[in-house]
Amino acid sequence: MAQLPLFAGAPAPAPPSSTKPVSKLDLPTLESWLWDSANILRGSIDSSDFKNYIFGLLFLKRANDVFDEEVDAIMARDGLSRADAEEETYFRVPAEARWAEVKKATENIGVVLDKAFAAIERENTQLEGVMTATKFGDKEKLSDDTLQRLLRHFNQYSLRNQDLYTPDLLGDAYEYLIKQFADDAGKKGGEFYTPRGVVKLIVGLLRPEPKNKVYDPTCGSGGMLIESARHIAQQPGGRVGNNVNVSLYGQEKNLGTWAIAKLNMLLHNFDSADLRKGDTLVNPQHKNEHNELMLFDRVIANPPFSQDRWWTPAEVNQEKKLDRKGQEKEVAPNYAKVVVDKFGRLHYGIPPRGYADLAFLQHMLAVLKQDGRMGVVLPHGTLFRGGAEGTIREKLLEADLVEGIVGLPSALFYNTGIPAAIWVLAKTKPEVLKKRVLILDASQEFKEGKNQNELEDRHVKRILAAYAAAQDEDKFMRAVELAEIKANDYNLNISRYIDRSEAAAAIDLPTVHAALRELEAKEAEIGEKLERLLEEIGI
């Protein structure tokens, strides 16, 4: 819950500076400035990698500017020399990482930057493995000329707290750029970014509260955790001083994405967020002193859709056999036999090799407190696929764990055009929802876009209002009895429960017959006129 002074509110007033901008840097200017840095990189590296380099330089510049600001404030407040004031700062920026020194470099600039990031990690252990995840020293990717242009570009503005419209403005710009990079990266963007409207919706459905422990097992760039904290901050008791009254936890498999999430947390003032690296399904990292999985009040996630070959131990040493041509061929492992989870998370069944969706769901359920709530975005196939998934779905429903299903519009996500659904689960459902499931069809709630559709605030509000009311709404939502779902073989396909088709207009046969007779009479009249005209011209 602690807030990082480096990125928290503005410190004590600093002495006047001749380099201070006349006006504070606003969000549109900051966004435009940062996005222009991507144009400098175009042609040098793949667009999906822009984020790694730009975010690193953004953090380096911000860290230096706020470090200098804090040093100035300490000098003014305590009358210390600059050298002594530098020893009093919370966040350390060693000499080789100072912006003034880095921008002096004219050759081997990438190596200078790599050394700067390594020095920051050395002096600030909470950033271990974050700053050095991206390597700037590869000249085949980034020439000295390109890096020099980038450094000049980032030198245009001060990122001191006193020069920003709001101390959190940089965090908002960071989030904006994550979205822009997701747009630019296309399919790859879905690996680290969930559209803001979907994030707001799922957080609104879960309603996190002050003092909650919130966990995302596939946290990507951390957007769901940050939005959960924002939701809590707006509630009574949601803040303790300058800090949001929440504990954030997450795990991410992709090293580069994990580093982005760490920086995202720092830039949004959540330095205490416990984000760990690793494969959540095979090696969950959040455990207590007894090596048991930690439990959380809210669990939220957008896992990779239908991940294939998700149990790594079963894929390492696959059995092989000879085919008819005598060629060696791998034998696909039978997950029902080879998957053994020492944490007992797959209590309701082992999903097939080609679909990890319900493995993620069961992991989330296993770490959910008895009075907790969880929400997960999954592809529509999880609602109706049979086999092992059908069995798992039946057991979840019979255990009365599924509170609601919200069907989303198609083309919302960067990594797929298929529609998805939010599953809301609770181990202790409200009395009014026991043996019932709220099924909501929000497939038409979107603003159409060129590449992706968008879930706007007005759509989110309508969905949340209907879900909270828990009342049937024609062509939109139903509270469906478990008995009806059972009669449908536990199939949760939304169209089985919500009929969006328009009733065909009733046909008035006498009126239709009269209209036909009128048309026939007109046809006969036109035929007679045509014959007379033909006779007059001698045909």
Side-chain angles (χ1 to χ4, degrees), residues 447-514:
K447 176 185 176 184
E448 188 172 0
K450 182 178 179 182
N451 297 316
Q452 273 80 36
N453 293 327
E454 182 181 357
L455 203 62
E456 296 185 315
D457 285 348
R458 58 191 174 94
H459 303 124
V460 172
K461 288 178 181 177
R462 187 194 174 199
I463 296 167
L464 291 178
Y467 192 94
Q471 300 293 323
D472 289 0
E473 186 174 336
D474 189 41
K475 302 185 186 303
F476 193 58
M477 196 189 83
R478 284 187 60 205
V480 182
E481 299 291 339
L482 182 59
E484 182 179 347
I485 297 173
K486 183 177 181 180
N488 278 315
D489 295 325
Y490 300 96
N491 188 320
L492 287 174
N493 198 348
I494 294 172
S495 61
R496 289 190 175 225
Y497 305 98
I498 298 178
D499 183 10
R500 296 194 67 94
S501 63
E502 298 293 335
I507 299 175
D508 185 345
L509 289 177
T511 302
V512 171
H513 285 154

Coordinates of all heavy atoms in Angstrom, one line a residue, residues 447-514:
K447 N -19.0 0.6 -29.9 CA -18.8 1.6 -30.9 C -18.0 1.0 -32.0 O -16.9 0.5 -31.7 CB -18.1 2.9 -30.4 CG -17.8 4.0 -31.4 CD -17.0 5.1 -30.8 CE -16.6 6.1 -31.9 NZ -15.7 7.2 -31.3
E448 N -18.5 1.0 -33.2 CA -17.7 0.4 -34.3 C -16.5 1.1 -34.7 O -16.4 2.4 -34.7 CB -18.6 0.2 -35.6 CG -18.0 -0.6 -36.6 CD -19.0 -0.9 -37.8 OE1 -20.1 -0.4 -37.7 OE2 -18.6 -1.6 -38.7
G449 N -15.3 0.4 -34.8 CA -14.1 1.0 -35.2 C -13.5 0.4 -36.4 O -14.0 -0.6 -36.9
K450 N -12.5 1.0 -37.0 CA -11.9 0.6 -38.2 C -11.2 -0.8 -38.1 O -11.5 -1.7 -38.9 CB -10.8 1.6 -38.7 CG -10.2 1.2 -40.0 CD -9.2 2.3 -40.5 CE -8.5 1.9 -41.8 NZ -7.5 2.9 -42.2
N451 N -10.4 -1.0 -37.0 CA -9.8 -2.2 -36.8 C -10.4 -3.0 -35.6 O -10.6 -4.2 -35.7 CB -8.3 -2.0 -36.5 CG -7.6 -1.4 -37.7 OD1 -7.8 -1.8 -38.8 ND2 -6.7 -0.4 -37.4
Q452 N -10.7 -2.3 -34.5 CA -11.3 -2.9 -33.4 C -12.5 -2.1 -33.0 O -12.6 -0.9 -33.1 CB -10.3 -2.9 -32.2 CG -9.4 -4.1 -32.2 CD -8.2 -4.0 -33.1 OE1 -7.7 -2.9 -33.3 NE2 -7.8 -5.1 -33.7
N453 N -13.5 -2.8 -32.4 CA -14.6 -2.2 -31.9 C -14.3 -1.7 -30.5 O -13.3 -2.2 -29.9 CB -15.8 -3.1 -31.8 CG -16.3 -3.5 -33.2 OD1 -16.3 -2.6 -34.1 ND2 -16.8 -4.7 -33.4
E454 N -15.1 -0.8 -29.9 CA -14.8 -0.2 -28.6 C -15.9 -0.3 -27.7 O -17.1 0.0 -28.1 CB -14.3 1.3 -28.8 CG -13.9 1.9 -27.5 CD -13.5 3.4 -27.8 OE1 -13.5 3.8 -28.9 OE2 -13.2 4.1 -26.8
L455 N -15.7 -0.6 -26.5 CA -16.7 -0.6 -25.4 C -16.5 0.7 -24.7 O -15.6 0.9 -23.9 CB -16.4 -1.8 -24.4 CG -17.5 -2.3 -23.6 CD1 -18.6 -2.9 -24.4 CD2 -17.0 -3.4 -22.7
E456 N -17.5 1.6 -24.9 CA -17.4 2.9 -24.3 C -18.0 3.0 -22.9 O -18.7 2.0 -22.5 CB -18.1 4.0 -25.2 CG -17.4 4.1 -26.6 CD -18.1 5.2 -27.4 OE1 -19.3 5.3 -27.4 OE2 -17.3 6.0 -28.0
D457 N -17.8 4.1 -22.2 CA -18.3 4.2 -20.8 C -19.8 4.0 -20.8 O -20.3 3.4 -19.8 CB -17.9 5.6 -20.2 CG -16.4 5.6 -19.8 OD1 -15.8 4.6 -19.8 OD2 -15.9 6.7 -19.6
R458 N -20.5 4.5 -21.8 CA -22.0 4.4 -21.7 C -22.4 3.0 -21.9 O -23.4 2.5 -21.3 CB -22.6 5.2 -22.9 CG -22.1 4.9 -24.3 CD -22.6 5.9 -25.3 NE -22.0 5.7 -26.6 CZ -22.6 5.0 -27.6 NH1 -23.8 4.5 -27.4 NH2 -22.1 4.8 -28.7
H459 N -21.6 2.2 -22.6 CA -22.0 0.7 -22.7 C -21.7 0.0 -21.4 O -22.5 -0.8 -21.0 CB -21.1 0.1 -23.9 CG -21.3 0.8 -25.2 ND1 -20.3 1.3 -25.9 CD2 -22.4 1.0 -25.9 CE1 -20.7 1.8 -27.0 NE2 -22.0 1.6 -27.1
V460 N -20.5 0.4 -20.8 CA -20.2 -0.2 -19.5 C -21.2 0.1 -18.5 O -21.6 -0.8 -17.7 CB -18.8 0.3 -19.1 CG1 -18.4 -0.2 -17.7 CG2 -17.7 -0.2 -20.1
K461 N -21.7 1.3 -18.4 CA -22.6 1.7 -17.4 C -24.0 0.9 -17.6 O -24.6 0.5 -16.6 CB -22.9 3.2 -17.5 CG -21.8 4.0 -17.0 CD -22.1 5.5 -17.1 CE -20.9 6.4 -16.6 NZ -21.1 7.8 -16.8
R462 N -24.4 0.8 -18.8 CA -25.6 0.0 -19.1 C -25.5 -1.4 -18.6 O -26.4 -2.0 -18.0 CB -26.0 0.1 -20.5 CG -27.4 -0.5 -20.8 CD -27.8 -0.8 -22.2 NE -29.1 -1.5 -22.2 CZ -29.5 -2.2 -23.2 NH1 -28.8 -2.3 -24.3 NH2 -30.7 -2.8 -23.2
I463 N -24.4 -2.1 -19.0 CA -24.2 -3.5 -18.6 C -24.1 -3.6 -17.1 O -24.8 -4.5 -16.5 CB -22.9 -4.0 -19.3 CG1 -23.0 -4.0 -20.8 CG2 -22.6 -5.4 -18.8 CD1 -21.7 -4.2 -21.5
L464 N -23.4 -2.8 -16.4 CA -23.3 -2.9 -15.0 C -24.6 -2.6 -14.3 O -24.9 -3.3 -13.3 CB -22.2 -1.9 -14.5 CG -20.8 -2.2 -14.9 CD1 -19.8 -1.1 -14.3 CD2 -20.3 -3.5 -14.4
A465 N -25.4 -1.7 -14.8 CA -26.7 -1.4 -14.2 C -27.6 -2.6 -14.3 O -28.3 -3.0 -13.3 CB -27.3 -0.2 -14.8
A466 N -27.6 -3.2 -15.5 CA -28.5 -4.4 -15.7 C -28.0 -5.5 -14.8 O -28.9 -6.3 -14.2 CB -28.5 -4.8 -17.2
Y467 N -26.7 -5.8 -14.7 CA -26.2 -6.9 -14.0 C -26.5 -6.7 -12.5 O -26.9 -7.6 -11.8 CB -24.7 -7.0 -14.2 CG -24.1 -8.3 -13.6 CD1 -23.9 -9.4 -14.5 CD2 -23.7 -8.4 -12.3 CE1 -23.4 -10.6 -14.0 CE2 -23.2 -9.6 -11.8 CZ -23.0 -10.7 -12.7 OH -22.5 -11.8 -12.2
A468 N -26.4 -5.5 -12.0 CA -26.6 -5.2 -10.6 C -28.1 -5.4 -10.2 O -28.4 -5.8 -9.1 CB -26.2 -3.8 -10.2
A469 N -29.0 -5.0 -11.2 CA -30.4 -5.1 -10.9 C -30.8 -6.6 -10.9 O -31.8 -6.9 -10.2 CB -31.2 -4.4 -12.0
A470 N -30.1 -7.4 -11.6 CA -30.4 -8.9 -11.6 C -31.9 -9.2 -12.0 O -32.5 -10.2 -11.5 CB -30.1 -9.5 -10.3
Q471 N -32.4 -8.4 -12.9 CA -33.8 -8.6 -13.3 C -33.8 -8.8 -14.8 O -33.0 -8.3 -15.6 CB -34.6 -7.3 -13.0 CG -34.7 -6.9 -11.6 CD -35.5 -7.9 -10.8 OE1 -36.5 -8.5 -11.2 NE2 -35.1 -8.2 -9.5
D472 N -34.7 -9.7 -15.2 CA -34.8 -10.0 -16.7 C -35.1 -8.7 -17.5 O -35.9 -7.9 -17.1 CB -36.0 -11.0 -16.9 CG -35.7 -12.4 -16.4 OD1 -34.6 -12.5 -15.9 OD2 -36.5 -13.3 -16.5
E473 N -34.4 -8.6 -18.6 CA -34.6 -7.5 -19.5 C -34.6 -8.0 -20.9 O -33.6 -8.7 -21.4 CB -33.4 -6.5 -19.4 CG -33.6 -5.2 -20.2 CD -32.5 -4.2 -19.9 OE1 -31.9 -4.2 -18.8 OE2 -32.3 -3.3 -20.8
D474 N -35.7 -7.8 -21.6 CA -35.9 -8.4 -22.9 C -34.7 -8.2 -23.9 O -34.2 -7.1 -24.0 CB -37.2 -7.8 -23.6 CG -37.6 -8.6 -24.8 OD1 -37.5 -9.8 -24.8 OD2 -38.0 -7.9 -25.8
K475 N -34.3 -9.3 -24.5 CA -33.2 -9.3 -25.5 C -31.9 -8.8 -24.9 O -31.0 -8.5 -25.7 CB -33.6 -8.5 -26.7 CG -34.9 -9.0 -27.4 CD -35.1 -8.2 -28.7 CE -36.4 -8.6 -29.3 NZ -36.6 -10.0 -29.6
F476 N -31.8 -8.8 -23.6 CA -30.5 -8.3 -23.0 C -30.0 -9.2 -21.9 O -28.8 -9.5 -21.8 CB -30.7 -6.8 -22.5 CG -29.4 -6.1 -22.2 CD1 -28.4 -6.0 -23.2 CD2 -29.2 -5.6 -21.0 CE1 -27.2 -5.3 -22.9 CE2 -28.1 -4.9 -20.7 CZ -27.1 -4.8 -21.6
M477 N -30.9 -9.4 -20.9 CA -30.4 -10.2 -19.7 C -31.5 -11.1 -19.1 O -32.7 -10.7 -19.1 CB -29.8 -9.3 -18.6 CG -29.0 -10.1 -17.6 SD -28.5 -9.1 -16.2 CE -29.9 -9.2 -15.2
R478 N -31.1 -12.2 -18.6 CA -32.0 -13.1 -17.9 C -31.3 -13.7 -16.7 O -30.1 -13.9 -16.7 CB -32.5 -14.3 -18.7 CG -33.5 -13.9 -19.8 CD -34.0 -15.2 -20.5 NE -34.6 -16.1 -19.5 CZ -34.6 -17.5 -19.6 NH1 -34.1 -18.0 -20.7 NH2 -35.2 -18.2 -18.7
A479 N -32.1 -13.9 -15.6 CA -31.6 -14.7 -14.5 C -32.1 -16.1 -14.7 O -33.3 -16.4 -14.5 CB -32.1 -14.1 -13.1
V480 N -31.2 -17.0 -15.2 CA -31.6 -18.3 -15.6 C -31.5 -19.3 -14.5 O -30.5 -19.4 -13.9 CB -30.8 -18.7 -16.8 CG1 -31.3 -20.1 -17.4 CG2 -30.9 -17.7 -17.9
E481 N -32.6 -20.1 -14.3 CA -32.5 -21.1 -13.3 C -31.6 -22.2 -13.7 O -31.5 -22.6 -14.9 CB -33.9 -21.7 -13.1 CG -35.0 -20.7 -12.6 CD -34.7 -20.2 -11.2 OE1 -34.0 -21.0 -10.4 OE2 -35.2 -19.2 -10.8
L482 N -30.9 -22.8 -12.7 CA -30.0 -23.9 -13.0 C -30.7 -25.1 -13.7 O -30.1 -25.8 -14.5 CB -29.3 -24.4 -11.7 CG -28.2 -25.5 -11.9 CD1 -27.1 -25.1 -12.8 CD2 -27.7 -25.9 -10.5
A483 N -32.0 -25.3 -13.3 CA -32.7 -26.4 -13.9 C -32.8 -26.3 -15.4 O -32.7 -27.3 -16.1 CB -34.1 -26.5 -13.3
E484 N -33.0 -25.0 -15.9 CA -33.1 -24.8 -17.3 C -31.7 -25.1 -18.0 O -31.7 -25.6 -19.1 CB -33.5 -23.4 -17.6 CG -33.7 -23.0 -19.1 CD -34.2 -21.6 -19.3 OE1 -34.6 -20.9 -18.4 OE2 -34.1 -21.2 -20.5
I485 N -30.7 -24.7 -17.3 CA -29.3 -24.9 -17.9 C -29.1 -26.4 -17.9 O -28.5 -26.9 -18.9 CB -28.3 -24.2 -17.0 CG1 -28.5 -22.6 -17.1 CG2 -26.9 -24.5 -17.5 CD1 -27.6 -21.8 -16.2
K486 N -29.5 -27.1 -16.9 CA -29.3 -28.5 -16.9 C -30.1 -29.2 -18.0 O -29.6 -30.1 -18.6 CB -29.8 -29.1 -15.5 CG -29.6 -30.6 -15.3 CD -30.0 -31.0 -13.9 CE -29.8 -32.5 -13.7 NZ -30.2 -32.9 -12.4
A487 N -31.2 -28.7 -18.3 CA -32.0 -29.3 -19.4 C -31.4 -29.0 -20.7 O -31.6 -29.8 -21.7 CB -33.4 -28.6 -19.4
N488 N -30.5 -28.0 -20.8 CA -29.7 -27.7 -22.0 C -28.4 -28.4 -22.0 O -27.4 -27.9 -22.6 CB -29.6 -26.2 -22.2 CG -30.8 -25.6 -22.8 OD1 -31.3 -26.1 -23.8 ND2 -31.2 -24.5 -22.3
D489 N -28.2 -29.5 -21.1 CA -27.0 -30.2 -21.0 C -25.8 -29.3 -20.6 O -24.7 -29.5 -21.0 CB -26.6 -30.9 -22.4 CG -27.6 -32.0 -22.7 OD1 -28.1 -32.7 -21.8 OD2 -27.9 -32.2 -23.9
Y490 N -26.1 -28.3 -19.7 CA -25.1 -27.4 -19.2 C -24.4 -26.6 -20.2 O -23.3 -26.1 -20.0 CB -24.1 -28.2 -18.3 CG -24.8 -29.0 -17.2 CD1 -25.1 -30.3 -17.3 CD2 -25.1 -28.3 -16.0 CE1 -25.7 -31.0 -16.3 CE2 -25.7 -29.0 -15.0 CZ -26.0 -30.4 -15.1 OH -26.6 -31.1 -14.1
N491 N -25.1 -26.4 -21.3 CA -24.6 -25.5 -22.4 C -24.9 -24.1 -22.0 O -26.1 -23.8 -21.7 CB -25.2 -25.9 -23.7 CG -24.6 -25.2 -24.9 OD1 -24.3 -24.0 -24.8 ND2 -24.4 -25.9 -26.0
L492 N -23.9 -23.2 -22.0 CA -24.1 -21.8 -21.6 C -24.1 -20.9 -22.8 O -24.0 -19.7 -22.6 CB -23.0 -21.4 -20.6 CG -23.2 -21.9 -19.2 CD1 -21.9 -21.5 -18.4 CD2 -24.4 -21.5 -18.5
N493 N -24.2 -21.4 -24.0 CA -24.3 -20.6 -25.2 C -25.4 -19.6 -25.0 O -26.6 -19.9 -24.8 CB -24.6 -21.4 -26.4 CG -24.2 -20.7 -27.7 OD1 -23.9 -19.5 -27.7 ND2 -24.1 -21.4 -28.8
I494 N -25.0 -18.3 -25.1 CA -26.0 -17.2 -24.7 C -27.2 -17.2 -25.5 O -28.3 -16.9 -25.0 CB -25.2 -15.9 -24.8 CG1 -24.1 -15.8 -23.7 CG2 -26.2 -14.7 -24.6 CD1 -23.2 -14.7 -23.8
S495 N -27.1 -17.6 -26.8 CA -28.3 -17.5 -27.7 C -29.4 -18.5 -27.3 O -30.5 -18.4 -27.7 CB -27.9 -17.8 -29.1 OG -27.3 -19.1 -29.3
R496 N -29.0 -19.5 -26.5 CA -30.0 -20.5 -26.0 C -30.9 -19.8 -24.9 O -32.0 -20.4 -24.7 CB -29.3 -21.7 -25.4 CG -28.7 -22.6 -26.4 CD -28.2 -23.9 -25.7 NE -27.7 -24.8 -26.7 CZ -28.0 -26.1 -26.8 NH1 -28.8 -26.6 -25.9 NH2 -27.4 -26.9 -27.7
Y497 N -30.5 -18.8 -24.3 CA -31.2 -18.2 -23.2 C -31.8 -16.8 -23.5 O -32.7 -16.3 -22.9 CB -30.4 -18.1 -22.0 CG -29.8 -19.5 -21.6 CD1 -28.5 -19.9 -22.0 CD2 -30.6 -20.5 -21.0 CE1 -28.0 -21.2 -21.8 CE2 -30.1 -21.7 -20.7 CZ -28.8 -22.1 -21.1 OH -28.4 -23.4 -20.8
I498 N -31.1 -16.1 -24.5 CA -31.5 -14.7 -24.8 C -31.8 -14.7 -26.3 O -30.8 -14.9 -27.1 CB -30.5 -13.7 -24.4 CG1 -30.3 -13.7 -22.9 CG2 -30.9 -12.3 -24.9 CD1 -29.3 -12.7 -22.4
D499 N -33.0 -14.5 -26.7 CA -33.4 -14.5 -28.1 C -33.4 -13.0 -28.6 O -34.2 -12.2 -28.2 CB -34.8 -15.1 -28.3 CG -35.2 -15.2 -29.8 OD1 -34.3 -14.9 -30.6 OD2 -36.4 -15.5 -30.0
R500 N -32.5 -12.7 -29.5 CA -32.4 -11.4 -30.0 C -33.1 -11.2 -31.4 O -33.1 -10.1 -31.9 CB -30.9 -11.0 -30.2 CG -30.1 -10.9 -28.9 CD -28.8 -10.1 -29.1 NE -29.1 -8.7 -29.4 CZ -29.1 -7.8 -28.5 NH1 -28.8 -8.0 -27.2 NH2 -29.3 -6.5 -28.9
S501 N -33.6 -12.3 -31.9 CA -34.3 -12.2 -33.2 C -35.6 -11.4 -33.1 O -36.2 -11.4 -32.0 CB -34.6 -13.6 -33.7 OG -35.5 -14.3 -32.8
E502 N -35.9 -10.7 -34.2 CA -37.1 -10.0 -34.2 C -38.3 -10.8 -34.7 O -38.1 -11.6 -35.7 CB -36.9 -8.8 -35.2 CG -35.8 -7.8 -34.7 CD -36.2 -7.1 -33.4 OE1 -37.5 -7.0 -33.2 OE2 -35.3 -6.6 -32.7
A503 N -39.4 -10.7 -34.1 CA -40.6 -11.5 -34.5 C -41.0 -11.1 -35.9 O -41.1 -9.9 -36.2 CB -41.7 -11.3 -33.6
A504 N -41.3 -12.1 -36.8 CA -41.7 -11.7 -38.1 C -43.1 -11.1 -38.1 O -44.0 -11.5 -37.3 CB -41.8 -13.0 -39.0
A505 N -43.3 -10.1 -38.9 CA -44.6 -9.5 -39.0 C -45.7 -10.4 -39.4 O -45.5 -11.2 -40.3 CB -44.6 -8.3 -39.9
A506 N -46.9 -10.4 -38.8 CA -48.0 -11.2 -39.1 C -48.5 -10.9 -40.5 O -48.6 -9.7 -40.9 CB -49.1 -11.1 -38.1
I507 N -48.9 -11.9 -41.3 CA -49.3 -11.7 -42.7 C -50.8 -11.6 -42.7 O -51.5 -12.5 -42.3 CB -48.8 -12.8 -43.6 CG1 -47.3 -12.8 -43.7 CG2 -49.4 -12.6 -45.1 CD1 -46.7 -14.0 -44.4
D508 N -51.4 -10.5 -43.2 CA -52.8 -10.3 -43.4 C -53.2 -10.8 -44.8 O -53.1 -10.0 -45.8 CB -53.1 -8.8 -43.2 CG -54.6 -8.5 -43.2 OD1 -55.4 -9.4 -43.6 OD2 -55.0 -7.4 -42.8
L509 N -53.7 -12.0 -44.9 CA -54.0 -12.6 -46.2 C -55.0 -11.9 -47.0 O -54.8 -11.7 -48.2 CB -54.4 -14.1 -46.0 CG -53.3 -15.0 -45.5 CD1 -53.8 -16.4 -45.3 CD2 -52.1 -15.1 -46.6
P510 N -56.1 -11.4 -46.5 CA -57.1 -10.7 -47.3 C -56.5 -9.4 -47.9 O -56.7 -9.1 -49.1 CB -58.2 -10.3 -46.3 CG -58.1 -11.4 -45.2 CD -56.7 -11.7 -45.1
T511 N -55.6 -8.7 -47.1 CA -55.0 -7.5 -47.6 C -54.0 -7.8 -48.7 O -54.0 -7.1 -49.7 CB -54.3 -6.8 -46.5 OG1 -55.2 -6.4 -45.4 CG2 -53.6 -5.5 -47.0
V512 N -53.3 -8.9 -48.5 CA -52.3 -9.3 -49.6 C -53.0 -9.7 -50.9 O -52.6 -9.3 -52.0 CB -51.5 -10.5 -49.1 CG1 -50.6 -11.1 -50.2 CG2 -50.6 -10.1 -47.9
H513 N -54.2 -10.4 -50.7 CA -54.9 -10.8 -51.9 C -55.5 -9.6 -52.6 O -55.4 -9.5 -53.9 CB -56.1 -11.8 -51.5 CG -55.6 -13.2 -51.2 ND1 -56.3 -14.0 -50.4 CD2 -54.5 -13.9 -51.6 CE1 -55.7 -15.2 -50.3 NE2 -54.6 -15.1 -51.0
A514 N -56.0 -8.7 -51.9 CA -56.5 -7.4 -52.5 C -55.4 -6.7 -53.2 O -55.6 -6.2 -54.3 CB -57.1 -6.6 -51.4

